[in-house]
Amino acid sequence: MTGPAEVRCMLMRGGTSKGAYFLAEDLPADPAARDELLLRIMGSPDPRQIDGLGGAHPLTSKVAVVSASADPAADVDYLFLQIGVDRPEVSDRQNCGNILAGVGPFAVERGLVAAGDDETSVRIRMLNTGERAVAAFPTPGGRVDYAGDAAVSGVPGTAAPVTIGFPPGARPLLPTGRVRDTVAGIEVTCVDNGMPTVLVPAAALNVTGYEEPGDLEEDLALADRLCVIRLAAGPLMGLGDVETATVPKLTLLAPSRAGGAVTTRTFIPVRCHTSIGVLGAASVAAGLLLPGAVGEGIATPPRRGDRVRIEHPTGFLDIEAAVDPDAFPPTARRTAVIRTARKIIDGTVFPRAASPELTAAPEPGETPVPPARPSGGNDGSAPR
Ligand code: NQM
């Protein structure tokens, strides 16, 4: 495939992630041609992504594709794509709430949505899941203002707040239909409040849950157990075979050490997150609010309807979450979060030349090209 020699692109930080934002009309309409082009733009496959925009980590190897929505209930459509770091894979099987934070500002920057005088609110249809979000952010004088005093743990400094509300989704909050499951001999709670997530007590895996992400990634016995749990939980959650998928995520729970509801370490699904995903945190918060879930006895019970503070390796993430645990099945009522986003570069990206040997997906068990550490998922994951 050849594709365009240059593409309009905006590089943005969204929450604790960074990604390349495109108008859908600036990319090939055919998904295979689009994905092949995006691999070349991001510099994948290559553990360093040295020849592209990617930042050599799944949290910085992300793409947002945005277009005006044909749905009258939405202003824009947002498709999230996770670009493999060391594998030539592009996945639309998960959403991303951090990259979502940049979608509203990007839509205004590209003229898809007219800015309000003070603040602009953008209704977003998230194509990965079919769910919706509304993002509100300051636009004084009709221009996006990225400067402000909102702090996000894991991001240096402060920036303008992007307030994101999620109406209840149509997907079941408890994808297995149970508040607890025994998976690979361990009691877990499988929950999906925007991100399919398996909650696992850290102690059940013989870790404290306070370790540094890098130390957890080096624990190969832990990696093996997490892999077994994930592969068994995926089908139970209705996700089918998840061997090459980036979902479900696995979140280890330990008692709070800083006044929050709980401490977390999240695997996405093989690399350990340096903080926690937005929708991942929304799922953890909803899971903690469900009586009988594995967080009981570990988490400090958040009062219903309250802000749930999820601690993570670089601070905390506050989620406004309310569930209706008495409904059958239990449902989420409300979820909201404050993030920040920032335009980093707006311009033209020049994709690496096409070379078939770099973009062909390796057969299972085959070493990715170029030779790189093998990975357990399309997230540029750690050796298995
Ligand atoms: O859960 C990482 C991130 C994410 C996803 C991941 C996210 C979310 O931190 O909404 O934001 O879980 O792969 O960007």
Side-chain angles (χ1 to χ4, degrees), residues 17 59 62 94 96-98 195 249 268 273 276-280:
S17 284
L59 297 177
K62 302 188 164 204
Q94 76 162 85
C96 178
N98 274 306
M195 183 67 73
K249 312 291 178 183
I268 59 170
H273 207 304
I276 189 169
V278 169
L279 296 163

Side-chain angles (χ1 to χ4, degrees), residues 90-110:
V90 178
S91 174
D92 63 2
R93 286 189 68 184
Q94 76 162 85
N95 194 356
C96 178
N98 274 306
I99 290 299
L100 171 66
V103 169
F106 176 75
V108 169
E109 297 267 8
R110 285 283 184 266

Side-chain angles (χ1 to χ4, degrees), residues 64-65 77-80 95-96 99-100 103 124-127:
V65 182
D77 287 347
Y78 155 52
L79 176 70
F80 170 71
N95 194 356
C96 178
I99 290 299
L100 171 66
V103 169
I124 301 165
R125 178 168 68 160
M126 302 185 286
L127 297 183

